[in-house]
Amino acid sequence: EAEGQLTRKFDMLPSSTSNKLLRPPSSMTQITPSLTTFTCGHVIPPNNVLTSCLSFGPTSIKLDFRHSSRSSNQMIDELGRTIMNMCNVVPSGFVVFLPSYKYESQVFQRWRSTGMLSQIDRLKPIHREPKNSRDVEDALARYSSEASSPSKKGALLFSVMGGKMSEGINFANEMARCVLVAGLPFPDITDPVLKEKMESLDKDFRQRGTGINGQDYYQNLCMRTVNQSVGRAIRHSNDYAAIVLCDYRYSSEMRIWNALPQWLRRGSGAPRCEDASFGKVMKNVRSFFAQDRK
């Protein structure tokens, strides 16, 4: 397939074949006596990915996308200012993942009323993930055309973590030179099915002393969705992208940081507070895209 083409691609290999192709794991973790997990490194060189945790916006407002605070006008406006600034330094395609469709609607309603939406659109044409699955292919084609335009102005795509575009779609090359993840998509803790599952896991954990408890399961659901979204970019060994994790919790809570894939963390501890400031992140992103990769 041609480079830059957006595809839904699933490689199915017999177990004997896939075992031969596996590289030695980068790290191994014993979960239970019968379960060991391993993590492999990425195919890209380390300098082809930039991971940044962003804890504060352009006006020094703390980026807190918990349910209790993310819908405030102050937080939505600061997110808009953050994206506007990023649009000035990110070439080609820029993908922003929001935590839910409801929140995406709130964000667009606020930005439309303040005029911020038109300001962002002047920097990069805005595209939105459609709610109807039948419209996804056409939406991707329109975004692809503008994101890969020779002008490098590119395009901006708003998607939803756990939505139609967060899994199974490749945003290779110019399709996603930057992925910004706003918040953490924790599922609804009041959902009766989820509550039952968590209580069952807690009971088994108390009885057996192994496995995972309900809280660990709850976090895993969230971080699996984050990792799926981040993984839409960087699809081959020569690809490159900047990943911006936009929420103070990514840098302040080690359990969140440690749940990210090792190729993003590079085996290091969570970023220092000063490294998660807006000025430092913008400087790093600007320098990343200034590199000559011809």
Side-chain angles (χ1 to χ4, degrees):
E1 295 170 346
E3 288 190 353
Q5 182 177 354
L6 294 168
T7 61
R8 290 181 179 271
K9 190 172 183 180
F10 302 89
D11 294 327
M12 302 296 291
L13 294 173
S15 58
S16 59
T17 303
S18 61
N19 287 338
K20 294 177 182 178
L21 296 177
L22 285 176
R23 297 181 178 183
S26 299
S27 65
M28 302 185 72
T29 304
Q30 188 84 32
I31 303 299
T32 70
S34 60
L35 176 62
T36 299
T37 66
F38 65 86
T39 303
C40 291
H42 208 290
V43 296
I44 60 168
N47 63 343
N48 275 27
V49 60
L50 173 70
T51 305
S52 300
C53 295
L54 184 59
S55 298
F56 298 91
T59 64
S60 300
I61 293 175
K62 187 177 183 179
L63 296 170
D64 181 0
F65 291 96
R66 292 177 297 173
H67 286 277
S68 58
S69 57
R70 70 188 188 192
S71 296
S72 69
N73 290 340
Q74 182 188 57
M75 195 57 53
I76 292 175
D77 291 346
E78 192 74 345
L79 175 62
R81 287 187 286 266
T82 298
I83 292 171
M84 285 179 62
N85 279 270
M86 295 290 294
C87 283
N88 286 319
V89 298
V90 173
S92 304
F94 182 8
V95 182
V96 174
F97 283 101
L98 299 175
S100 71
Y101 287 106
K102 180 180 179 181
Y103 187 62
E104 192 256 13
S105 296
Q106 291 175 338
V107 165
F108 271 75
Q109 182 178 1
R110 170 63 181 175
W111 289 348
R112 192 174 288 112
S113 68
T114 62
M116 187 172 289
L117 193 64
S118 60
Q119 294 179 52
I120 296 173
D121 190 65
R122 284 195 291 270
L123 296 171
K124 283 186 183 290
I126 292 175
H127 299 258
R128 299 174 70 178
E129 176 180 319
K131 294 183 179 180
N132 194 320
S133 298
R134 293 175 298 180
D135 299 326
V136 169
E137 187 173 346
D138 288 341
L140 284 173
R142 291 191 297 271
Y143 169 70
S144 172
S145 176
E146 291 196 292
S148 57
S149 65
S151 69
K152 294 295 182 181
K153 180 179 181 180
L156 177 60
L157 175 65
F158 286 91
S159 301
V160 174
M161 286 180 272
K164 303 170 187 65
M165 294 184 179
S166 66
E167 298 183 22
I169 294 180
N170 296 343
F171 292 99
N173 303 318
E174 284 77 15
M175 299 305 100
R177 286 305 181 207
C178 180
V179 172
L180 184 147
V181 175
L184 288 155
F186 282 104
D188 183 3
I189 193 67
T190 64
D191 179 73
V193 176
L194 177 60
K195 290 177 67 176
E196 183 70 21
K197 176 68 174 180
M198 292 176 64
E199 290 172 1
S200 176
L201 288 170
D202 284 338
K203 180 179 179 182
D204 289 344
F205 185 78
R206 286 192 299 268
Q207 293 177 345
R208 301 176 184 177
T210 60
I212 63 172
N213 58 30
Q215 188 59 42
D216 288 340
Y217 173 75
Y218 183 62
Q219 178 185 302
N220 288 348
L221 288 176
C222 170
M223 295 309 299
R224 182 176 63 186
T225 304
V226 170
N227 293 335
Q228 283 283 353
S229 300
V230 169
R232 297 310 91 211
I234 311 181
R235 306 304 295 179
H236 58 84
S237 59
N238 295 319
D239 210 351
Y240 63 93
I243 310 298
V244 180
L245 304 171
C246 188
D247 191 299
Y248 82 96
R249 290 171 291 178
Y250 283 107
S251 62
S252 65
E253 299 185 20
M254 284 302 298
R255 65 187 181 90
I256 299 296
W257 176 254
N258 289 333
L260 294 168
Q262 188 177 21
W263 63 271
L264 280 181
R265 294 184 286 114
R266 300 183 187 178
S268 65
R272 297 171 301 173
C273 182
E274 56 267 31
D275 292 331
S277 68
F278 182 78
K280 185 64 176 290
V281 170
M282 284 294 294
K283 179 182 178 181
N284 290 341
V285 172
R286 187 180 290 108
S287 298
F288 177 76
F289 288 117
Q291 297 179 38
D292 185 5
R293 293 187 173 85
K294 295 181 180 179

